[in-house]
Amino acid sequence: QVQLVQSGGGLVQAGGALTLSCAGSGVTFSRSTTGWFRQAPGAGREFVAGIRQSGTHTYYADSVKGRFTISRDNAKNTVYLRMDTLQPEDTAVYYCATGTGVILSSLRRAEQYPYWGQGTQVTVSS
């Protein structure tokens, strides 16, 4: 079965950086669209970044564009989210998600992704 295992995250001061990892089994990321989402307390799940099967097409929420970078290592079947210049408003639980049937127009919609990681907490202190 498909399993996404996340690692990384933690507590960092404002202006700092973190990298999240999402390792897949039972799924090949190079044949899927993979996204990162986040959910702050009391809020809905928000799209952060996405990467298409090609690996060369990446997409970002306006709030993180220029600060976050999504990438993929096909040999390790792992997707990463590098987060730079973190701000307190980036505090949330971060999730990776993947699916083979995610179309471009729906890439930012959480309900399009059938498989999800367990989530990892990112806390940015001011």
Side-chain angles (χ1 to χ4, degrees):
Q1 72 275 20
V2 176
Q3 190 174 17
L4 305 183
V5 178
Q6 297 180 220
S7 58
L11 173 64
V12 65
Q13 289 188 329
L18 286 173
T19 297
L20 306 182
S21 300
C22 175
S25 60
V27 62
T28 302
F29 284 139
S30 61
R31 299 175 185 170
S32 305
T33 293
T34 303
W36 286 95
F37 292 79
R38 67 186 181 186
Q39 189 165 17
R45 199 159 289 189
E46 173 191 23
F47 172 80
V48 175
I51 185 167
R52 297 278 282 171
Q53 293 92 326
S54 66
T56 58
H57 292 87
T58 57
Y59 306 85
Y60 297 93
D62 288 343
S63 58
V64 307
K65 199 172 296 182
R67 301 189 297 122
F68 290 12
T69 304
I70 188 171
S71 63
R72 191 177 71 208
D73 184 332
N74 290 338
K76 295 181 179 180
N77 203 37
T78 299
V79 174
Y80 303 94
L81 184 69
R82 168 72 179 186
M83 305 182 291
D84 294 307
T85 321
L86 282 160
Q87 300 301 316
E89 53 265 33
D90 295 316
T91 295
V93 177
Y94 284 71
Y95 298 89
C96 63
T98 198
T100 57
V102 179
I103 59 176
L104 181 58
S105 61
S106 299
L107 180 143
R108 299 168 187 264
R109 296 172 57 184
E111 63 268 26
Q112 297 299 308
Y113 294 80
Y115 305 110
W116 290 80
Q118 80 275 20
T120 186
Q121 178 70 46
V122 171
T123 303
V124 185
S125 63
S126 57

